[in-house]
Amino acid sequence: MSSTANGKNGTWRNWGGNVSARPAREVTPASVDELAAAVRRAAEDGLKVKAVGTGHSFTSIAATDGVLIRPQLLTGIRAIDRDAMTVTVEAGTPLKRLNMALAREGLSLTNMGDIMEQTVSGATSTGTHGTGRDSGSIAAQIKGLELVTADGSVLTCSEKENPEVFAAARIGLGALGIITAITFAVEPVFLLTAREEPMPFDRVLADFEELWAENEHFEFYWFPHTGNTNTKRNNRSAGPEKPVPPLQSWFEDEFLSNGVFQVANWVGRAAPATIPTIAQISSKALSARTYTDIPYKVFTSPRRVRFVEMEYAVPRAAVVEALRELKTMVDRSGLKVSFPVEVRTAPEDDITLSTASGRDTAYIAVHMFQGTPYQRYFTAAERIFTAHEGRPHWGKVHTRDADYFSRVYPRFAEFTALRDRLDPDRRFQNDYLRRVLGA
């Protein structure tokens, strides 16, 4: 699924359909040297530069009126080091291809998000994550990076080499350079047993700490206008492998979660008054199921119904209170919300602008069906999240700016100082980075 690449007159649009841009030119480099040359040429022409992956960000983080770099030729695995248990992969590789290639080699990432259409560089640069008690975001699994900086030179970094760049560039927002390769920690492929079951909203909140502590990967979806949630618990298993049978998988993951859900959203968009009734039915459509499979087949699922999303990271200790406030707000607002609210967790990490930097974290994601007005809902939700010192996902809708981030990220100035050093002329600047990092 590419972002609707070149619409009419070279317009680029993101996956959610809420961001578009008209770059002066597009470049699809076939090598790191070609990419570096494209950056130098842009500088000569006085143009800004942005790399774009599959357009899965809902913010304008990848939008540019300058040079748009498309990394789809920079794909595939460069090297597997079985002694160090790392894999080095080209930046434009989709996560899906990485996951499948690793599985063929008997390897796997430790944790991942629930969508795998994104490129590895796009996913990590925006802080894409799944859920985990002990294992963090995709970026937290990075062991080394190669990036082209503003002067066209190639910089490599790791804990040992250029450690101050490594600390920041794992979630670099595209502000420090264009990533050309990433080295990930991997481990021998393992099995996960997934247990999915409905659970009342009040019970999930009452038992949240316990559900978090007892499971390696816990998450749940709450359906607004109902007291119902669908919980997911993924834990390592000795086997045997017991995947979801193909017909059941098609029925639950394609027909119910994508096909019927799409139709329900069309109905809800046309007649918002029907949404609470649809929500009651949707929240009861998926029954409990347990299956065991390799990680990417458990962690990820297809998302064919297009939406717009806002997600905030709050301190884990604040998540139950924030969710109670969110439910009260929805119940009193008269809003009609047809998409479930997704709740996940991550342990604290040491990446400068990671949403989990320096604190144990819980994520609350709110979604609206593509084409429905989302501003009122997102604004009200954002008010709740920011009251808990929330940090928005860099690739999802939010209204925060550099002033706010300097308050909620203790190391914010460390990042901007590094950017001043690596990109003094703001070659990689765009409107979004001007807003979130300051001029």
Side-chain angles (χ1 to χ4, degrees), residues 62-369:
T64 186
D65 56 6
V67 179
L68 191 70
I69 305 265
R70 292 187 169 278
Q72 64 254 38
L73 299 181
L74 299 172
T75 59
I77 290 179
R78 264 193 205 180
I80 295 173
D81 182 338
R82 288 184 189 270
D83 295 327
M85 284 307 274
T86 60
V87 58
T88 301
V89 60
E90 304 271 349
T93 310
L95 285 167
K96 187 174 194 168
R97 278 188 53 192
L98 173 63
N99 287 335
M100 291 167 83
L102 287 176
R104 283 196 296 272
E105 297 284 347
L107 300 168
S108 177
L109 292 171
T110 300
N111 197 355
M112 57 194 82
D114 59 2
I115 298 177
M116 55 175 181
E117 310 300 333
Q118 311 101 312
T119 59
V120 293
S121 55
T124 53
S125 294
T126 53
T128 298
H129 61 91
T131 190
R133 181 189 60 203
D134 314 304
S135 54
S137 68
I138 306 178
Q141 299 167 67
I142 294 176
K143 290 292 178 195
L145 283 174
E146 175 187 87
L147 66 162
V148 171
T149 55
D151 60 5
S153 59
V154 180
L155 182 75
T156 55
C157 61
S158 65
E159 278 170 8
K160 295 193 178 71
E161 192 181 4
N162 296 306
E164 73 296 342
V165 178
F166 184 66
R170 283 172 287 169
I171 298 180
L173 319 185
L176 305 174
I178 294 179
I179 293 174
T180 47
I182 301 176
T183 300
F184 289 106
V186 290
E187 56 177 308
V189 74
F190 52 95
L191 292 173
L192 284 172
T193 292
R195 192 170 146 205
E196 300 175 4
E197 65 173 327
M199 198 180 283
F201 181 75
D202 292 336
R203 194 187 134 200
V204 174
L205 294 199
D207 297 348
F208 184 80
E209 273 303 300
E210 210 174 302
L211 288 161
W212 169 81
E214 288 175 1
N215 296 284
E216 290 171 66
H217 308 276
F218 173 67
E219 66 184 297
F220 70 93
Y221 294 85
W222 163 58
F223 294 81
H225 315 297
T226 78
N228 308 327
T229 79
N230 204 14
T231 62
K232 293 186 169 192
R233 284 172 266 193
N234 298 330
N235 289 288
R236 293 195 183 214
S237 160
E241 216 167 302
K242 193 175 161 249
V244 182
L247 185 61
Q248 185 190 348
S249 171
W250 174 82
F251 180 71
E252 292 170 344
D253 299 326
E254 287 295 342
F255 182 69
L256 289 179
S257 299
N258 283 298
V260 172
F261 189 53
Q262 173 91 19
V263 173
N265 273 283
W266 283 334
V267 172
R269 186 166 66 185
T274 61
I275 286 174
T277 309
I278 293 170
Q280 287 291 347
I281 298 165
S282 296
S283 68
K284 296 192 171 85
L286 293 167
S287 48
R289 63 178 185 175
T290 302
Y291 53 95
T292 302
D293 215 328
I294 61 173
Y296 84 84
K297 295 186 177 176
V298 173
F299 284 132
T300 68
S301 46
R303 289 273 185 277
R304 305 197 203 288
V305 183
R306 303 234 172 179
F307 53 82
V308 178
E309 179 178 0
M310 166 183 279
E311 181 183 62
Y312 265 76
V314 297
R316 204 184 75 240
V319 69
V320 169
E321 178 58 28
L323 285 163
R324 286 210 173 97
E325 292 167 14
L326 188 67
K327 186 175 193 300
T328 302
M329 180 274 289
V330 170
D331 290 347
R332 288 181 185 163
S333 65
L335 285 163
K336 301 285 183 272
V337 181
S338 63
F339 248 85
V341 172
E342 183 180 22
V343 180
R344 296 177 287 177
T345 70
E348 71 168 277
D349 64 40
D350 63 350
I351 303 170
T352 317
L353 291 188
S354 165
T355 44
S357 185
R359 71 184 192 195
D360 262 359
T361 294
Y363 296 96
I364 305 174
V366 297
H367 311 71
M368 276 295 229
F369 184 48

Side-chain angles (χ1 to χ4, degrees), residues 32-49:
V32 176
D33 288 346
E34 281 183 25
L35 198 158
V39 171
R40 286 193 295 267
R41 196 172 313 124
E44 286 160 19
D45 297 342
L47 293 170
K48 304 288 188 193
V49 188

